[in-house]
Amino acid sequence: MCFTKKTGLWTLFWRDRHLKFHQYRFLAPNPNLQVLLDHVDGSGDPIFWG
């Protein structure tokens, strides 16, 4: 996750097998970090949990 001070938004990223980071496109940046954490915890998306 990355915080952008200028916009006040948190953005979720994922890392590929080549160790490059990409913005997670299924969740828009949000000013509330907990929204992103809840999504990672509850989504079941294998991109986060393998």
Side-chain angles (χ1 to χ4, degrees), residues 1 12 27 35-45 48-49:
M1 288 177 219
L12 186 59
L27 186 65
V35 171
L36 278 65
L37 293 172
D38 290 343
H39 180 79
V40 170
D41 187 44
S43 71
D45 191 332
F48 300 115
W49 304 110

Side-chain angles (χ1 to χ4, degrees), residues 1-4 7 9-13 23-24 27-30 36:
M1 288 177 219
C2 178
F3 180 73
T4 305
T7 62
L9 298 174
W10 286 93
T11 306
L12 186 59
F13 288 85
Q23 186 173 344
Y24 186 67
L27 186 65
N30 194 298
L36 278 65

Side-chain angles (χ1 to χ4, degrees), residues 9 18 22 25 27 29 31-33 39 41-42 50:
L9 298 174
H18 301 292
H22 307 275
R25 63 182 175 184
L27 186 65
N32 185 347
L33 176 61
H39 180 79
D41 187 44

